[in-house]
Amino acid sequence: MADISPRMQSYYDRLNSGLAQVMETAQACRKTGIDPETTVEIPIANDLADRVEAQVGIKGVAQMIRELEAVMSREEASLHIGDYFAERKYGETNNEEILDHAIRTAMALLTEGVVSAPIEGIAKVAVKKNDDGTDYLAIYYAGPIRSAGGTAQALSVLVGDYVRRILGLSRYMPREEEIERYLEEIRQYNSIMSLQYLPSEYEIRLIISNCPVCIDGEPTEKEEVSGHRNLERVETNTVRGGMALVIAEGLALKAPKVLKNVKKMKMDGWDWLEEMIQHTAGGSSSEEKEVGIHPKDKFLRDLIGGRPVFSYPMREGGFRLVYGRSRNTGLAAAGLHPATLHILGDFLAVGTQMKIERPGKAAGISPVDSIQGPTVRLINGDVVRVRDAKQARELSPQVSYIIDVGEILISYGEFMENNHVLVPSAYCQSWWRLEGGTTSPADENEAIAQCEAGLYLHPEFLYLWDDLSCTKVRELADFIHENGSIQDEVLILPYDARIKELLEQVLCEHQVRDEKIRIKPFRIFIRCLGLDDTLSLISVWEGELPENSLDLAIFLSGMKMRSKAGTRIGGRMGRPGKSKPREMKPAPHLLFPVGEAGGSRRSVQEAGKTTYKANTDGGYLQLEMGVRRCPSCGTEGYTNVCICGTHTIPVLSCPRCNIEVQGLICPQCGMEPVSVREYTVNIKQLFQKAVSDLGIRERDLELVKGVKGLVSRNKPVEPIEKGVLRSLHKLFVFKDGTIRFDIIDMPLTHFRPREVGVSVERLRELWYEKDIYGVPLENPDQILELPPQDILVPEGCADYLFSCTKYLDDLLEKVYGQPPFYRLEKRTDLVGHLVIGLAPHTSAGVLARIVGFSKANVGYGHPFFHAAKRRNCFHGDTLIEVYEDGILKEIPIKRFVLEHLDLSQAGVDSIGTFYADPVRPAHVRSVDTGGIPHLRKVTSVSVHKAPANLIRFETGRGKTLDVTPDHAMLVWDITYLRKIRALELSVGDAVPVFEGGVIISDRIISIDYIPCPDERVYCLTVDQDHNVLANGIFTGQCDGDEDCVMLLLDGLLNFSRSFLPVTRGGSMDAPLVLTSRIDPNEIDKESHNLDVCATYPLELYETALRYGNAKDVEALIDRVERRLGTSAQIEGFFFTHDTSDISAGPLETMYTQLQSMLDKLDCELSLAKKIRAVDEHDVAERVLKTHFIRDLQGNLSAFSKQKFRCTKCNTSYRRMPLAGKCKCGGNIIPTVHEGSVKKYLQMSKQICEEYHISEYTRQRIEVIDMNIESTFGEEKVEQMGLADFM
Amino acid sequence: MLDSTLIVERFLDTKLQVHPDVVRYIREKKDERLIDQIISAVPDDCVVVSLKHIPGVYPSRDGIRFCSDPEIDIISGRMGTSRPVGKVEDYISYFHDRYTHLSGMVKGRCNPVPIEALKRNNRYRQEEFAVCGMVMDVRSTTKGHRMVEIEDPTGSVSALFNKDRPDFTEAERIVPDEVIGIRGTLSQEGNLIFADQIFRPDIPFSYAPYTSDRPGAAILISDIHIGSDTFLEDAWNRFGDWLCDSEVSYLLVAGDLVDGIGIYPDQDKELVITNIYEQYDVLGKMFADLPSHIKIILSPGNHDVVRGAEPQPVIPEKFRTHYPDNCIFVENPALINLQGVRIMMYHGRSFDDLIGLMPGASYEKAYDIIPEMLKRRHLAPCYGKRTPIAADETDRLIIDPIPEVVHTGHVHIYGISRYRNVLGINSGTWQSQTAFQKQMNIQPTPAVAIALDLMTLQPTVYDFLNDSPDPLTL
């Protein structure tokens, strides 16, 4: 770890001491033994070296890696590993073992010990004989090598060569027919699995003849080579996939990188790489350098009805770009003035995603009030620039036309990351100050005085001359000259529509009172028009005039001015921030089975009342729970603590030959041992005893909900007291025993005490002595820097956590007999307490501290805190069965996701993953752990960057599925389903498959690694069961994008791995790994582009003027990347633009308040009419084309191919059975109804009349209307006007 | 027991080869003595025993055909026959009508037992029996056998086709929703039939085509795709001139007259004429230039302006203003009678499904699919896949009565096939390879017209891609 400054060291000490304190309390509680384990089950994370050692399994390697890593780069370290192994330090006996260990450890190091596949990627290492009798090294590569990535593959060959030199082996001398065999085999392999890059014949020949190590492989494909068969030194005739990959995607593709390392290590015998690089490099064409940019309408392409457009690409009145990073903006977060948010119909709230034209990524919106707001024309004709949120809220009902939507703040880091050309910025305060400006002028005269002194005109007093042509300027000047008059400092003009329009284009504020235009600050305005105080044209007009209107204004006024327009950026509303935390429907309070007796709400009280026979007293249930034996008195039961008070230990037995088993596999049949037994339990008695122990009267306890059945391997149960307390405090338990709250995260680097609702003294106690300028903290307006592991939680979440602390205190006191830990009176006392910030699917928890509350429904955290989310997902063409608006259809997931995820409004996170709510309610088929199929709601869809390779599974029944390596797959385990990582699935495993309406098990017959053809993979989140039917196979899905927060004590105390559905070797829900300290260079590269300087250099603006490349000024701007490895990598961040309140502007977006699609559409179109920068006819056409027509056509064609469904047993039929009735007797109904086909027809016809829609689209609507009529018969209902919809 | 390998061996003993149709005929008749009768009846110079050698089976012409208009008569698919749909009962009656129609053809040959009877009494446990039903679901088991679930109005049962039985190639070609007869024995528990022979409605052996007594020629084309930027204008003009100086009395166009609008995303970028009315008007003018004595029969396809669900109605009135009156608009599918010769015109959208389901089928050999349709006596058996079907009281996609020629298009690759004296013509297109086809690497065979001599039912192929062939004279 890089060294850190004492101040940060004290910060981390504080965190660690807090962690130690909570850990100690948790350990004490666990000792009582009423939890499944007696120790805390969350390990504190280890670093890369430990991970590599664990993976390779050679003791002592971690220490060696740490030494090497401290001194050299990772690639060099992987080479030097060979020296250590050559000295047989780790118990190697022969050359082959040395080579094997060295190469495997190097591979694990190069892939950062994360993916275990490269270890299996090297099948074996062998020493073979050359023709001249000398030995040479042959490395056998197997299928999984694919997921190691090109660089690791190439470097593994280099490591092999380095170690063979130490051991004195000679180089590999290939025979001629072996080279021909390589040529044919690689080409044949490319025809089976298309390689990323197919090297030319010349290149392959060059590699094979010069590479000192023989690259061999195990047969991975079925096809055999036709020519060059039965070679003496090549054992197999089948195609060796691993070998072809290492040569094509490893050595050929990554030659430059290999060469760099060869030079560093001064290894000879590899200079042929230069020759190869020239050969390939020659081809790249240098496309011509055209200066300037053109409008990009990509963000408008798939417009979803109901999400308004705010500005068209590069159109007058659009968002004017200003470079800068505010405290609450940064990567994938842009700043807008709070007034803009209000004026744009409250559609943009804090945290709402917006899709912007440039630099191309969607961005979350946060309020920044140090940029300019919108300019609007009111109903009475006044034109006013709105300067603050309050004024915006008052004026918004009177706004009739939005002339300019104001400025947008985008950080330089965004342009760097998308390596986008820099574009001219609107003239802004920081640019003005860089050009000598000191104090901003209070009024016009000061501004003019400054200009006389040689300064540029201050942006506040700048007018927008770019949009006018010179003739219009002349026309304006003449008009003012003829009939303008000045009365007591006000320029009065007679009302003239033409002139008013010109004034509006120039963004000149004025009032309209009784047919007169009154311009208040007019001095600079008339000066720019070349008029003197008496409104007469000054002599300069006669001379020859520049063509450009801005130059003309400069020429006339004699004042230096820069363009106020700069570059206009298009923008559209994207995905609304999630306004409500995600609640699981029948969320349980208690992990205790109640079986069917609990009814649909699984209530423990109700379970208590069930009686099998009339007279017996109720509450006796047959429940399946784990078997635990008490070591002291030997009695067996299901409770974690035995009656004699000692902690019980789970007993595992093999279900098939039911003998007790100690190890992981049953010695006789190799089955997984489980611990399950039927108990008759009087749940009513248990419940009454628990309630009385807690001293609570049963009456004031509403519903305590258990779970239907337990899914974990050892099936442990929670003491009922926990459930009772949770239900008392209205908290819900997650499947691993903890209580979590979902939050949407936004980046924040600095905050003000006043914003977070915490007193200054409290903050000072928490470590914040000084603000960012070093001034000791006194008043609530000072700006404090947020360290990486401090977060602001939304108020809703704070209330939830507050009641959680109450629950934990009761738990400690009444159940564990420990002193209460939190003892909070009010919510603000939460400040300072530690929580675990969690990225659920990677189960990687990060220690964090609450330092305040945010009014907006977003959790503010440091950009590093939100980094690194890995996702598991499907290849694009996987077919999923979707039940949507009444149609059950099988469509490729790519189409489903893209239809539902409007890429342009999807939320994006720091690693380029787009996620969004589905546009229309859709259900997919999923199966619960008991193996019963359900139709579950899709909660969100996402598109992710594709990993290097996918895994292709083929089942006996001919179904195939391509998924990412760490995708969660479902596997049958006798009676229930468990999740297992795609990596760990092996041939012969039984997977749940869905055929003909019933779930059966199907064996995996082949597992194959395929390179991922396109660079996007797709996934969706399914409610409750979190799995989906893909290509006929049930498989897991990613758990969506929500982060969540849980109290540290709750995590340490209640989390137990044994609650989770356990899988063979490392499960998908692996135990929570808690990283106590974020190391910036271990998180992903995207967050290194965050710029942290206080001001941008002047060169940035100048390069932007000439559309220079972002990289030209990279050295001048202070970014995280340039601070990596130093102590300043996590502190001393600055920002260029301040904002007064991070929760300004509307808190909830209008989009979620409007219910029906028709209201949303009306709002969208009326807003489009109001904004000058938006062409409402084009919006109407796009909505029609991308949303309505596609929906109409899709439903119509689906109607004539629809499936059928039985009302009673919900089995679906591909067609209407002949009998007309379902097997269960229920009658059968179609799944696509006439109504759902015609839903948008009427509205589309309406739009066609009201807006100028292109003839092509208009006719398409006509044709669809005719087809619908010919399918369903005449339209019976009478014509409805738009008024009916109002 | 009568098994096809046994029968073939018997014939080989007498150094005679036998046509598969004959083997199937013998197996259906299930009597041994028929083999000896055929062997004795075979003239000694012939090597292959074919249908004509079976005593009692003479290809008979089905008498005189009375048709109302000697020139042209539309038997089915006239304007206005296809009705709107949408009620649940239509679906029940649609499949019911298909079942009764097609099972009638099968019942004659294998006298099936209602499926419910199998479950009722266990008389069928021991002996062999036959059932007839519509395929509900078909899939191959892990070991490669074919498991078929068939149903009839009384019940449903599963049948297993063992992959080692000789008849397995037929079983591999079973598609969902076709009606088949199965002869086999029941398993012990009584819920699975071990099938060993399969019956299809099929064209009877003795079918002989009816040829016209007067000379006449019909030109069969399809997939003109007016309005697309890849439409071959000059090839069409050559075709027009060729028609003027050939003695042709009929021109049949089986679907995809125009490229349409909104058929696939961003189609407007590949359209020369983006207005749908204009597309039809231009086509109308082109037909007007053709000699007026030629009767032009036009049926819609998936690119046309009518609904996608088959049977597709006729092109609506407002698109037909500029058409000469020798143009006759029919539905898709339609059966027309040209001087006594019956031609079934169907656009061929079901090729997409059938090619997907048939092992070894491909777009290049689409003409092999037409015999498969004839075997099933149904133009688009599979429901719910890519061919949209509008459920009506009656199933108008059934091939009944048996036509002399089946004329299809849609796959843009021409091909001719013959199955039991029924001619299958798949006409090519007048549009060169589109971007989509290049992507799917489908090589179309553009600018080819197929002429059919109504007297001899001989098809001849005329290629207009580069130059115009010599005119057709009868």
PDB file of all heavy atoms in Angstrom, chain B residues 219 238-239 241-243 245-248 451 460-464 467-473:
ATOM      1  N   ILE B 219     -46.795 -18.247 -67.382  1.00  0.00           N
ATOM      2  CA  ILE B 219     -45.469 -17.831 -66.859  1.00  0.00           C
ATOM      3  C   ILE B 219     -45.616 -17.646 -65.336  1.00  0.00           C
ATOM      4  O   ILE B 219     -46.537 -16.953 -64.877  1.00  0.00           O
ATOM      5  CB  ILE B 219     -45.036 -16.490 -67.497  1.00  0.00           C
ATOM      6  CG1 ILE B 219     -45.025 -16.607 -69.031  1.00  0.00           C
ATOM      7  CG2 ILE B 219     -43.681 -16.066 -66.966  1.00  0.00           C
ATOM      8  CD1 ILE B 219     -43.984 -17.578 -69.544  1.00  0.00           C
ATOM      9  N   ARG B 238     -36.609  -6.315 -70.253  1.00  0.00           N
ATOM     10  CA  ARG B 238     -36.342  -7.400 -71.231  1.00  0.00           C
ATOM     11  C   ARG B 238     -37.454  -8.441 -71.143  1.00  0.00           C
ATOM     12  O   ARG B 238     -37.988  -8.941 -72.137  1.00  0.00           O
ATOM     13  CB  ARG B 238     -34.989  -8.049 -70.905  1.00  0.00           C
ATOM     14  CG  ARG B 238     -33.776  -7.290 -71.467  1.00  0.00           C
ATOM     15  CD  ARG B 238     -32.521  -8.180 -71.485  1.00  0.00           C
ATOM     16  NE  ARG B 238     -32.018  -8.453 -70.120  1.00  0.00           N
ATOM     17  CZ  ARG B 238     -31.239  -7.580 -69.455  1.00  0.00           C
ATOM     18  NH1 ARG B 238     -30.876  -6.446 -70.024  1.00  0.00           N
ATOM     19  NH2 ARG B 238     -30.812  -7.839 -68.234  1.00  0.00           N
ATOM     20  N   PHE B 239     -37.876  -8.743 -69.892  1.00  0.00           N
ATOM     21  CA  PHE B 239     -38.945  -9.737 -69.695  1.00  0.00           C
ATOM     22  C   PHE B 239     -40.234  -9.242 -70.359  1.00  0.00           C
ATOM     23  O   PHE B 239     -40.923 -10.013 -71.059  1.00  0.00           O
ATOM     24  CB  PHE B 239     -39.140  -9.955 -68.200  1.00  0.00           C
ATOM     25  CG  PHE B 239     -40.318 -10.833 -67.841  1.00  0.00           C
ATOM     26  CD1 PHE B 239     -40.372 -12.162 -68.253  1.00  0.00           C
ATOM     27  CD2 PHE B 239     -41.376 -10.321 -67.104  1.00  0.00           C
ATOM     28  CE1 PHE B 239     -41.448 -12.958 -67.939  1.00  0.00           C
ATOM     29  CE2 PHE B 239     -42.455 -11.121 -66.775  1.00  0.00           C
ATOM     30  CZ  PHE B 239     -42.513 -12.441 -67.200  1.00  0.00           C
ATOM     31  N   ASP B 241     -40.528  -7.147 -72.919  1.00  0.00           N
ATOM     32  CA  ASP B 241     -40.447  -7.269 -74.395  1.00  0.00           C
ATOM     33  C   ASP B 241     -40.608  -8.740 -74.784  1.00  0.00           C
ATOM     34  O   ASP B 241     -41.350  -9.081 -75.701  1.00  0.00           O
ATOM     35  CB  ASP B 241     -39.085  -6.754 -74.903  1.00  0.00           C
ATOM     36  CG  ASP B 241     -38.813  -5.356 -74.349  1.00  0.00           C
ATOM     37  OD1 ASP B 241     -39.834  -4.741 -73.932  1.00  0.00           O
ATOM     38  OD2 ASP B 241     -37.665  -4.921 -74.276  1.00  0.00           O
ATOM     39  N   TRP B 242     -39.956  -9.628 -74.062  1.00  0.00           N
ATOM     40  CA  TRP B 242     -40.022 -11.064 -74.378  1.00  0.00           C
ATOM     41  C   TRP B 242     -41.478 -11.531 -74.352  1.00  0.00           C
ATOM     42  O   TRP B 242     -41.927 -12.305 -75.215  1.00  0.00           O
ATOM     43  CB  TRP B 242     -39.169 -11.824 -73.363  1.00  0.00           C
ATOM     44  CG  TRP B 242     -39.170 -13.321 -73.560  1.00  0.00           C
ATOM     45  CD1 TRP B 242     -38.435 -14.045 -74.440  1.00  0.00           C
ATOM     46  CD2 TRP B 242     -39.985 -14.267 -72.847  1.00  0.00           C
ATOM     47  NE1 TRP B 242     -38.716 -15.393 -74.344  1.00  0.00           N
ATOM     48  CE2 TRP B 242     -39.665 -15.550 -73.364  1.00  0.00           C
ATOM     49  CE3 TRP B 242     -40.954 -14.163 -71.845  1.00  0.00           C
ATOM     50  CZ2 TRP B 242     -40.299 -16.714 -72.898  1.00  0.00           C
ATOM     51  CZ3 TRP B 242     -41.561 -15.333 -71.403  1.00  0.00           C
ATOM     52  CH2 TRP B 242     -41.226 -16.581 -71.915  1.00  0.00           C
ATOM     53  N   LEU B 243     -42.244 -11.019 -73.335  1.00  0.00           N
ATOM     54  CA  LEU B 243     -43.655 -11.458 -73.213  1.00  0.00           C
ATOM     55  C   LEU B 243     -44.428 -11.021 -74.453  1.00  0.00           C
ATOM     56  O   LEU B 243     -45.296 -11.759 -74.960  1.00  0.00           O
ATOM     57  CB  LEU B 243     -44.285 -10.828 -71.966  1.00  0.00           C
ATOM     58  CG  LEU B 243     -44.149 -11.627 -70.651  1.00  0.00           C
ATOM     59  CD1 LEU B 243     -44.834 -10.890 -69.516  1.00  0.00           C
ATOM     60  CD2 LEU B 243     -44.768 -13.012 -70.806  1.00  0.00           C
ATOM     61  N   ASP B 245     -43.517 -10.770 -77.489  1.00  0.00           N
ATOM     62  CA  ASP B 245     -43.480 -11.611 -78.694  1.00  0.00           C
ATOM     63  C   ASP B 245     -43.439 -13.105 -78.352  1.00  0.00           C
ATOM     64  O   ASP B 245     -42.864 -13.889 -79.058  1.00  0.00           O
ATOM     65  CB  ASP B 245     -42.281 -11.202 -79.587  1.00  0.00           C
ATOM     66  CG  ASP B 245     -41.065 -10.873 -78.741  1.00  0.00           C
ATOM     67  OD1 ASP B 245     -41.059 -11.399 -77.590  1.00  0.00           O
ATOM     68  OD2 ASP B 245     -40.193 -10.124 -79.165  1.00  0.00           O
ATOM     69  N   SER B 246     -44.015 -13.469 -77.202  1.00  0.00           N
ATOM     70  CA  SER B 246     -44.159 -14.933 -76.940  1.00  0.00           C
ATOM     71  C   SER B 246     -45.647 -15.240 -76.851  1.00  0.00           C
ATOM     72  O   SER B 246     -46.440 -14.359 -76.547  1.00  0.00           O
ATOM     73  CB  SER B 246     -43.542 -15.321 -75.589  1.00  0.00           C
ATOM     74  OG  SER B 246     -42.346 -14.661 -75.396  1.00  0.00           O
ATOM     75  N   GLU B 247     -45.955 -16.458 -77.105  1.00  0.00           N
ATOM     76  CA  GLU B 247     -47.387 -16.841 -77.048  1.00  0.00           C
ATOM     77  C   GLU B 247     -47.682 -17.328 -75.628  1.00  0.00           C
ATOM     78  O   GLU B 247     -47.518 -18.516 -75.301  1.00  0.00           O
ATOM     79  CB  GLU B 247     -47.667 -17.975 -78.035  1.00  0.00           C
ATOM     80  CG  GLU B 247     -47.627 -17.521 -79.491  1.00  0.00           C
ATOM     81  CD  GLU B 247     -47.327 -18.719 -80.392  1.00  0.00           C
ATOM     82  OE1 GLU B 247     -47.628 -19.853 -79.920  1.00  0.00           O
ATOM     83  OE2 GLU B 247     -46.754 -18.537 -81.447  1.00  0.00           O
ATOM     84  N   VAL B 248     -48.003 -16.377 -74.809  1.00  0.00           N
ATOM     85  CA  VAL B 248     -48.253 -16.713 -73.403  1.00  0.00           C
ATOM     86  C   VAL B 248     -49.661 -16.234 -73.069  1.00  0.00           C
ATOM     87  O   VAL B 248     -50.060 -15.161 -73.500  1.00  0.00           O
ATOM     88  CB  VAL B 248     -47.223 -15.968 -72.514  1.00  0.00           C
ATOM     89  CG1 VAL B 248     -47.666 -16.015 -71.068  1.00  0.00           C
ATOM     90  CG2 VAL B 248     -45.843 -16.563 -72.712  1.00  0.00           C
ATOM     91  N   ALA B 451     -41.692 -20.924 -67.423  1.00  0.00           N
ATOM     92  CA  ALA B 451     -42.882 -21.091 -68.288  1.00  0.00           C
ATOM     93  C   ALA B 451     -43.389 -22.523 -68.154  1.00  0.00           C
ATOM     94  O   ALA B 451     -42.594 -23.456 -68.042  1.00  0.00           O
ATOM     95  CB  ALA B 451     -42.487 -20.825 -69.745  1.00  0.00           C
ATOM     96  N   THR B 460     -40.231 -24.800 -68.314  1.00  0.00           N
ATOM     97  CA  THR B 460     -38.940 -24.406 -68.927  1.00  0.00           C
ATOM     98  C   THR B 460     -38.510 -23.089 -68.277  1.00  0.00           C
ATOM     99  O   THR B 460     -39.352 -22.225 -67.986  1.00  0.00           O
ATOM    100  CB  THR B 460     -39.120 -24.169 -70.444  1.00  0.00           C
ATOM    101  OG1 THR B 460     -40.391 -23.536 -70.618  1.00  0.00           O
ATOM    102  CG2 THR B 460     -39.090 -25.482 -71.204  1.00  0.00           C
ATOM    103  N   VAL B 461     -37.213 -22.964 -68.086  1.00  0.00           N
ATOM    104  CA  VAL B 461     -36.671 -21.824 -67.324  1.00  0.00           C
ATOM    105  C   VAL B 461     -36.104 -20.805 -68.297  1.00  0.00           C
ATOM    106  O   VAL B 461     -35.388 -21.181 -69.246  1.00  0.00           O
ATOM    107  CB  VAL B 461     -35.540 -22.317 -66.368  1.00  0.00           C
ATOM    108  CG1 VAL B 461     -34.929 -21.130 -65.668  1.00  0.00           C
ATOM    109  CG2 VAL B 461     -36.115 -23.321 -65.387  1.00  0.00           C
ATOM    110  N   TYR B 462     -36.470 -19.521 -68.150  1.00  0.00           N
ATOM    111  CA  TYR B 462     -35.947 -18.459 -69.008  1.00  0.00           C
ATOM    112  C   TYR B 462     -35.196 -17.454 -68.126  1.00  0.00           C
ATOM    113  O   TYR B 462     -35.740 -16.977 -67.128  1.00  0.00           O
ATOM    114  CB  TYR B 462     -37.094 -17.744 -69.746  1.00  0.00           C
ATOM    115  CG  TYR B 462     -37.761 -18.630 -70.772  1.00  0.00           C
ATOM    116  CD1 TYR B 462     -38.805 -19.484 -70.408  1.00  0.00           C
ATOM    117  CD2 TYR B 462     -37.298 -18.652 -72.094  1.00  0.00           C
ATOM    118  CE1 TYR B 462     -39.395 -20.310 -71.351  1.00  0.00           C
ATOM    119  CE2 TYR B 462     -37.890 -19.481 -73.036  1.00  0.00           C
ATOM    120  CZ  TYR B 462     -38.942 -20.319 -72.663  1.00  0.00           C
ATOM    121  OH  TYR B 462     -39.525 -21.136 -73.592  1.00  0.00           O
ATOM    122  N   ASP B 463     -33.955 -17.168 -68.517  1.00  0.00           N
ATOM    123  CA  ASP B 463     -33.129 -16.279 -67.680  1.00  0.00           C
ATOM    124  C   ASP B 463     -33.016 -14.917 -68.353  1.00  0.00           C
ATOM    125  O   ASP B 463     -32.683 -14.811 -69.535  1.00  0.00           O
ATOM    126  CB  ASP B 463     -31.713 -16.904 -67.545  1.00  0.00           C
ATOM    127  CG  ASP B 463     -30.896 -16.102 -66.511  1.00  0.00           C
ATOM    128  OD1 ASP B 463     -31.326 -14.953 -66.220  1.00  0.00           O
ATOM    129  OD2 ASP B 463     -29.896 -16.610 -66.014  1.00  0.00           O
ATOM    130  N   PHE B 464     -33.370 -13.860 -67.623  1.00  0.00           N
ATOM    131  CA  PHE B 464     -33.351 -12.511 -68.215  1.00  0.00           C
ATOM    132  C   PHE B 464     -32.268 -11.647 -67.588  1.00  0.00           C
ATOM    133  O   PHE B 464     -32.237 -10.442 -67.787  1.00  0.00           O
ATOM    134  CB  PHE B 464     -34.720 -11.828 -67.983  1.00  0.00           C
ATOM    135  CG  PHE B 464     -35.845 -12.524 -68.698  1.00  0.00           C
ATOM    136  CD1 PHE B 464     -36.501 -13.590 -68.091  1.00  0.00           C
ATOM    137  CD2 PHE B 464     -36.196 -12.165 -69.984  1.00  0.00           C
ATOM    138  CE1 PHE B 464     -37.511 -14.265 -68.750  1.00  0.00           C
ATOM    139  CE2 PHE B 464     -37.204 -12.835 -70.643  1.00  0.00           C
ATOM    140  CZ  PHE B 464     -37.863 -13.880 -70.039  1.00  0.00           C
ATOM    141  N   ASP B 467     -29.208 -11.235 -70.861  1.00  0.00           N
ATOM    142  CA  ASP B 467     -29.821 -10.924 -72.171  1.00  0.00           C
ATOM    143  C   ASP B 467     -31.181 -11.612 -72.232  1.00  0.00           C
ATOM    144  O   ASP B 467     -31.542 -12.356 -71.325  1.00  0.00           O
ATOM    145  CB  ASP B 467     -28.905 -11.431 -73.300  1.00  0.00           C
ATOM    146  CG  ASP B 467     -28.579 -12.904 -73.019  1.00  0.00           C
ATOM    147  OD1 ASP B 467     -29.309 -13.502 -72.171  1.00  0.00           O
ATOM    148  OD2 ASP B 467     -27.617 -13.425 -73.576  1.00  0.00           O
ATOM    149  N   SER B 468     -31.921 -11.350 -73.316  1.00  0.00           N
ATOM    150  CA  SER B 468     -33.276 -11.945 -73.329  1.00  0.00           C
ATOM    151  C   SER B 468     -33.230 -13.219 -74.200  1.00  0.00           C
ATOM    152  O   SER B 468     -32.680 -13.208 -75.305  1.00  0.00           O
ATOM    153  CB  SER B 468     -34.267 -10.935 -73.927  1.00  0.00           C
ATOM    154  OG  SER B 468     -33.863 -10.682 -75.259  1.00  0.00           O
ATOM    155  N   PRO B 469     -33.773 -14.302 -73.658  1.00  0.00           N
ATOM    156  CA  PRO B 469     -33.753 -15.579 -74.403  1.00  0.00           C
ATOM    157  C   PRO B 469     -34.719 -15.511 -75.581  1.00  0.00           C
ATOM    158  O   PRO B 469     -35.490 -14.547 -75.710  1.00  0.00           O
ATOM    159  CB  PRO B 469     -34.263 -16.592 -73.357  1.00  0.00           C
ATOM    160  CG  PRO B 469     -35.037 -15.776 -72.381  1.00  0.00           C
ATOM    161  CD  PRO B 469     -34.488 -14.380 -72.412  1.00  0.00           C
ATOM    162  N   ASP B 470     -34.679 -16.518 -76.465  1.00  0.00           N
ATOM    163  CA  ASP B 470     -35.577 -16.450 -77.630  1.00  0.00           C
ATOM    164  C   ASP B 470     -37.016 -16.708 -77.170  1.00  0.00           C
ATOM    165  O   ASP B 470     -37.261 -17.421 -76.207  1.00  0.00           O
ATOM    166  CB  ASP B 470     -35.159 -17.492 -78.693  1.00  0.00           C
ATOM    167  CG  ASP B 470     -34.715 -18.779 -77.996  1.00  0.00           C
ATOM    168  OD1 ASP B 470     -35.187 -18.968 -76.839  1.00  0.00           O
ATOM    169  OD2 ASP B 470     -33.893 -19.515 -78.524  1.00  0.00           O
ATOM    170  N   PRO B 471     -37.953 -16.036 -77.863  1.00  0.00           N
ATOM    171  CA  PRO B 471     -39.349 -16.086 -77.357  1.00  0.00           C
ATOM    172  C   PRO B 471     -39.907 -17.493 -77.409  1.00  0.00           C
ATOM    173  O   PRO B 471     -39.418 -18.352 -78.153  1.00  0.00           O
ATOM    174  CB  PRO B 471     -40.096 -15.141 -78.315  1.00  0.00           C
ATOM    175  CG  PRO B 471     -39.212 -14.996 -79.501  1.00  0.00           C
ATOM    176  CD  PRO B 471     -37.808 -15.260 -79.087  1.00  0.00           C
ATOM    177  N   LEU B 472     -40.960 -17.688 -76.629  1.00  0.00           N
ATOM    178  CA  LEU B 472     -41.589 -19.017 -76.485  1.00  0.00           C
ATOM    179  C   LEU B 472     -42.659 -19.145 -77.552  1.00  0.00           C
ATOM    180  O   LEU B 472     -43.507 -18.257 -77.697  1.00  0.00           O
ATOM    181  CB  LEU B 472     -42.238 -19.084 -75.096  1.00  0.00           C
ATOM    182  CG  LEU B 472     -43.280 -20.180 -74.888  1.00  0.00           C
ATOM    183  CD1 LEU B 472     -42.614 -21.540 -74.724  1.00  0.00           C
ATOM    184  CD2 LEU B 472     -44.120 -19.874 -73.649  1.00  0.00           C
ATOM    185  N   THR B 473     -42.557 -20.180 -78.336  1.00  0.00           N
ATOM    186  CA  THR B 473     -43.665 -20.402 -79.299  1.00  0.00           C
ATOM    187  C   THR B 473     -44.198 -21.801 -79.035  1.00  0.00           C
ATOM    188  O   THR B 473     -43.423 -22.750 -78.841  1.00  0.00           O
ATOM    189  CB  THR B 473     -43.120 -20.353 -80.741  1.00  0.00           C
ATOM    190  OG1 THR B 473     -42.013 -21.280 -80.774  1.00  0.00           O
ATOM    191  CG2 THR B 473     -42.644 -18.965 -81.105  1.00  0.00           C
TER     192      THR B 473
END
